[in-house]
Amino acid sequence: MRVLVVGGAGYIGSHMVRALLEEKYDTVVFDNLSTGYREFVPERVPFIRGDLRNVPDIQGVFRDHSIDAVMHFAASSIVPESMSDPLKYYHNNVLACINLLKVMMENKVAKFIFSSTAAVYGEPENIPIKEEDKTCPTNTYGRSKLMIENILSDISRAYDFSYIALRYFNAAGAHPAGEIGEKHNPETHLIPNILKTARGEKSELMIFGDDYPTPDGTCIRDFIHVQDLCHAHLLALKALKDGKKNDIFNLGSGSGYSVKEVVRTVEEVTGKKIKVKIVPRRAGDPAKLVAGAEMAKKILGWKPNANLEEIIGTAWVWECKS
Ligand code: UFG
């Protein structure tokens, strides 16, 4: 089976490419390198530099390679940026994905795994969050991903098309071999920013708000190791191969940590003291996101392995090398 990994030079996509190769899948990468890195993709993997906003680029890939399934990682994914530049998010996440789906239909490629997000829930009514809970995003990023989930549902009813949407909670950590990891420019994510402070690259960590309705006032998130996310994708691919029609799964650990707790865990793992500064809230941040991941366990047989210390440990090795 040949899998097209769209966004395979990015953070999660590049880990996925390695996971697919380990399982002996033929793999092709398509990426515009806007946030990805060519060197994250192994030399032996066919790499096409192209843009989903340019339909002939996509058509070329399907013309030149016989594709059986698509994993779609390419997206803009920074919550605060999605609030200040919503059109970028609708263009890169919605329009671009529709182009991809249209070309898939033209080529009768019927298996799709979509990188969705916990941001589709917005401010949840229940914790842990279940897949059937209300989706009411508080930011444009979450709304753009929810639009695609709705489109997938519509097209799967109309055409021969099966999909699994995976709602990631907070992806973090790095490949254990230390060759690839999280690398954004600018870096906005919590764990890499704390680690950059630990290394002295940043003088202090800004904590965006300590007046949330949580025990210590800082936001609570559910961190999931990127390798565990990739494992879930392999199981989702197998489910589609075995004839599964459509589904949506949360991918999280089920445990929530506040921003301050994550800072303390980094201090323990690295042995470095982190200087923090409390600043005002960031636009679009929900107070608490913790996954109920029972469905992925029950239906895909997925179970996350890495705890927060292990996630931070692999991210620290990567941060010190990069
Ligand atoms: N935070 C800080 N200081 C920083 C960076 C982050 O206090 O320097 C706080 C944020 O305000 C937030 C928490 O840490 O409360 C986590 O922020 P991240 O930017 O690391 O992650 P988000 O929760 O905003 O978003 C991430 C992904 C999204 C995904 C979401 C799902 O980037 O793609 O998790 O939970 F939708």
Side-chain angles (χ1 to χ4, degrees):
M1 178 176 239
R2 184 168 293 114
V3 182
L4 175 65
V5 183
V6 180
Y11 168 43
I12 303 173
S14 62
H15 286 77
M16 190 69 237
V17 170
R18 280 162 176 75
L20 285 163
L21 294 175
E22 275 166 27
E23 293 299 312
K24 311 277 182 255
Y25 283 99
D26 285 338
T27 306
V28 176
V29 168
F30 181 89
D31 200 300
N32 68 3
L33 297 183
S34 62
T35 56
Y37 298 90
R38 178 66 184 90
E39 63 272 21
F40 277 17
V41 182
E43 278 300 327
R44 65 188 160 114
V45 174
F47 175 82
I48 298 103
R49 184 171 184 172
D51 199 307
L52 291 179
R53 294 164 300 187
N54 186 26
V55 173
D57 283 2
I58 315 171
Q59 286 167 327
V61 179
F62 286 82
R63 189 185 55 233
D64 297 343
H65 302 272
S66 161
I67 304 292
D68 302 296
V70 176
M71 291 186 177
H72 180 36
F73 295 90
S76 297
S77 63
I78 299 171
V79 168
E81 184 191 48
S82 79
M83 303 301 283
S84 57
D85 193 359
L87 271 181
K88 174 175 174 182
Y89 278 68
Y90 291 126
H91 202 179
N92 292 352
N93 296 1
V94 182
L95 185 95
C97 184
I98 292 172
N99 288 343
L100 173 62
L101 292 165
K102 272 197 82 178
V103 178
M104 284 180 66
M105 297 302 123
E106 282 165 20
N107 288 275
K108 306 208 178 330
V109 177
K111 295 183 178 60
F112 190 67
I113 298 181
F114 178 59
S115 300
S116 190
T117 172
V120 298
Y121 294 109
E123 200 61 74
E125 284 171 355
N126 308 304
I127 292 287
I129 309 169
K130 297 203 176 85
E131 286 84 352
E132 68 265 25
D133 286 352
K134 197 172 83 190
T135 48
C136 187
T138 53
N139 53 61
T140 306
Y141 169 63
R143 254 188 301 282
S144 72
K145 290 283 184 175
L146 188 57
M147 283 178 190
I148 295 297
E149 285 193 10
N150 290 331
I151 290 169
L152 293 174
S153 164
D154 287 343
I155 65 177
S156 74
R157 268 193 294 272
Y159 314 118
D160 172 24
F161 178 81
S162 304
Y163 72 93
I164 293 183
L166 299 171
R167 291 176 176 165
Y168 308 166
F169 283 63
N170 287 59
H175 195 277
E179 289 164 6
I180 51 173
E182 199 165 1
K183 185 177 175 187
H184 300 113
N185 190 12
E187 187 51 75
T188 61
H189 292 100
L190 180 63
I191 290 178
N193 274 345
I194 307 175
L195 294 174
K196 285 184 194 310
T197 315
R199 274 191 74 192
E201 201 182 305
K202 288 169 79 92
S203 58
E204 59 190 7
L205 175 83
M206 288 196 284
I207 294 184
F208 299 120
D210 67 349
D211 56 351
Y212 284 93
T214 60
D216 67 18
T218 63
C219 288
I220 291 178
R221 291 291 182 274
D222 179 339
F223 295 89
I224 182 80
H225 199 291
V226 62
Q227 294 285 94
D228 283 327
L229 285 184
C230 292
H231 185 222
H233 286 70
L234 290 175
L235 295 170
L237 183 61
K238 184 173 179 308
L240 290 179
K241 264 174 31 181
D242 291 347
K244 181 154 191 54
K245 184 69 181 143
N246 306 323
D247 223 330
I248 295 178
F249 298 107
N250 286 341
L251 296 182
S253 69
S255 302
Y257 294 89
S258 74
V259 171
K260 283 186 179 169
E261 285 171 330
V262 179
V263 170
R264 272 200 298 280
T265 311
V266 169
E267 290 182 331
E268 280 160 25
V269 171
T270 64
K272 311 270 185 193
K273 182 91 192 99
I274 309 295
K275 194 172 168 215
V276 303
K277 182 179 179 191
I278 308 293
V279 297
R281 291 182 180 197
R282 209 172 63 171
D285 277 342
K288 196 169 177 183
L289 291 172
V290 180
E294 290 308 309
M295 291 306 285
K297 201 176 291 174
K298 199 168 134 197
I299 295 180
L300 298 178
W302 178 73
K303 199 169 78 58
N305 284 316
N307 61 25
L308 185 62
E309 283 79 9
E310 289 160 335
I311 291 172
I312 291 171
T314 56
W316 180 233
V317 170
W318 163 252
E319 193 62 51
C320 291
K321 273 179 88 169
S322 59

